[in-house]
Amino acid sequence: MATSRPDGRTALVTGGSRGIGKAVSLRLAREGVLVAVHYGHDDEAAQATVKEIEAGGGRALAVRAELGVPGDADAVWDGFDRGLVALGAEPGVDIVVNNAGITLPRHLADVTEEDYDRVFAVNTRAPFFVLQRALPRLRDGGRIVNISSAASRVAYPPLVAYAMSKGALDTLTLALAAQLGPRGITVNTVAPGFTDTGINPTLADPQIRRALAAASVFDRLGTPADIADAVAFLAGGDGRWITGHWLDATGGVRLGH
């Protein structure tokens, strides 16, 4: 699909080079948004995403910064600011998508203190300070979308620490929605369910794949594009009257149970 003409908006997508983040980056770029594709380590994946956007007529830049370490938020925004200058773009940001995160597939008894600290550093602390540093850059009428998980609203013991970290992110959405409403900025959460990102090794097992697909009322796994379309709606003009919302993007997982 060809990219539309640039519309003047700029977005930061954390974890934007693979999986759901890549789909969000591509989707926003098709809307004419200049996309900053943040990533942690995989230079090849980030450059491939940028080139794919450019090949479709869009504009993008890659921002490398490891999350979950001291100074991570400053590193993200320093790279973002420098990237805009290099492209001759106006400073500031209109859309921030907090997508980057790590999982921790362990029951309570098996979670170490190091595990716990790491998952919260990446999934909760990093987006908190990314948004704190975003505030002076975020234009009035902007959009913030936090990518959470259905695990924050259902009992799923094998992901207890991960679910807790996402639950904290859900609370951040509510607080910021109230704070930023006077500026016309919406803040929402999108919560995926079982999604085929291509980087989940358990989905290579046909039995596991089948069981997870059956959890949806549509009898299939979600795709990154399914999630990206939901994000794009909230990030666009049509989502202007929705804020503080937790959007179930699971395909009806556990519906009726």
Side-chain angles (χ1 to χ4, degrees):
M1 180 185 296
T3 302
S4 63
R5 294 175 61 84
D7 68 1
R9 290 182 297 162
T10 303
L12 169 72
V13 181
T14 66
S17 67
R18 297 187 299 171
I20 290 171
K22 178 177 181 178
V24 171
S25 296
L26 294 172
R27 181 67 173 78
L28 293 178
R30 290 202 300 271
E31 298 290 328
V33 179
L34 189 165
V35 180
V37 179
H38 162 267
Y39 69 106
H41 301 283
D42 194 338
D43 295 292
E44 184 176 349
Q47 292 304 323
T49 300
V50 169
K51 289 178 181 177
E52 188 171 344
I53 289 171
E54 292 174 341
R59 294 199 299 165
L61 60 103
V63 176
R64 178 170 182 164
E66 182 180 357
L67 300 183
V69 298
D72 51 3
D74 286 329
V76 169
W77 288 111
D78 287 347
F80 177 89
D81 293 340
R82 289 196 306 270
L84 292 188
V85 170
L87 289 178
E90 292 293 323
V93 66
D94 300 280
I95 302 165
V96 179
V97 181
N98 273 310
N99 166 76
I102 58 174
T103 58
L104 185 61
R106 296 179 189 172
H107 285 79
L108 177 65
D110 300 318
V111 176
T112 67
E113 291 184 7
E114 291 76 14
D115 291 333
Y116 182 94
D117 289 344
R118 176 63 179 162
V119 77
F120 270 82
V122 176
N123 294 359
T124 309
R125 183 184 183 278
F128 182 96
F129 287 104
V130 164
L131 290 178
Q132 182 192 74
R133 306 302 200 269
L135 292 182
R137 296 172 170 87
L138 193 60
R139 298 185 182 101
D140 290 354
R143 304 283 186 264
I144 295 171
V145 182
N146 295 319
I147 306 300
S148 181
S149 169
S152 73
R153 295 289 180 94
V154 299
Y156 199 66
L159 288 174
V160 59
Y162 169 81
M164 288 173 63
S165 73
K166 291 298 189 177
L169 193 61
D170 296 347
T171 300
L172 177 60
T173 289
L174 293 175
L176 283 183
Q179 176 182 335
L180 299 178
R183 294 180 54 193
I185 297 169
T186 68
V187 189
N188 291 289
T189 292
V190 171
F194 300 117
T195 308
D196 189 0
T197 62
I199 56 176
N200 184 348
T202 64
L203 293 180
D205 184 322
Q207 287 187 317
I208 292 177
R209 189 179 185 88
R210 181 74 216 127
L212 297 183
S216 164
V217 297
F218 300 119
D219 197 30
R220 69 170 177 85
L221 294 171
T223 68
D226 292 327
I227 312 305
D229 286 346
V231 172
F233 168 71
L234 292 172
D238 290 344
R240 64 191 176 278
W241 200 236
I242 301 171
T243 196
H245 184 63
W246 191 90
L247 178 62
D248 183 313
T250 67
V253 168
R254 295 177 184 260
L255 195 62
H257 292 273

